[in-house]
Amino acid sequence: MTALGVIKAAQRLGVTLEEVAELLEAGRHGCPVAGLQERAAAKLAEVDAKIADLATIRTALVAADEAGCDNLTVCAFSACCPIPFTEFAEENCHAGPCC
C-alpha cells in the first residue's frame, strides 16, 4: 500500500492528518509506532461518544417529526415541543400538532 493509501485509510478511521503524519514519520525511521494501540483505543472512545451524540440527535429529530413540529420559532416557545428548547417553553401544551 502506498503512503497515500495509508493516509486515506487512516482518515476513514477518523485519524487526523497530524496524527497520520506522526505515525508515518515514526515508521519512516524504522521505529515501531509507540502507543498505536492506545491511540486506537482513544479514537474508539471518540467514535463511541460521537455515536452517542448522534443517537441523541436522532431521537430528538424523530420526536420532532412525530410531534408535527413545523416551525422552530414557534416550537421554541411551546412546552410540548420535543426539541430541547425546554428553558424557553411556555407552561401549557396545546392539543394537536406541536407547532
Side-chain angles (χ1 to χ4, degrees):
M1 180 179 279
T2 66
L4 182 58
V6 171
I7 292 168
K8 292 209 175 277
Q11 283 184 307
R12 283 193 299 273
L13 293 174
V15 179
T16 67
L17 284 176
E18 184 178 330
E19 292 168 330
V20 172
E22 290 173 9
L23 295 171
L24 288 176
E25 187 62 28
R28 281 190 192 116
H29 296 294
C31 303
V33 180
L36 185 58
Q37 289 182 344
E38 290 82 7
R39 289 180 190 201
K43 190 59 67 177
L44 182 59
E46 287 177 29
V47 168
D48 286 341
K50 286 179 185 179
I51 290 170
D53 288 344
L54 289 171
T56 299
I57 292 168
R58 185 184 191 288
T59 299
L61 289 172
V62 167
D65 182 52
E66 290 173 353
C69 293
D70 206 21
N71 182 318
L72 289 180
T73 303
V74 173
C75 283
F77 295 99
S78 174
C80 62
C81 183
I83 298 175
F85 294 125
T86 54
E87 64 272 13
F88 304 113
E90 296 172 358
E91 288 300 314
N92 48 3
C93 179
H94 58 285
C98 179
C99 306

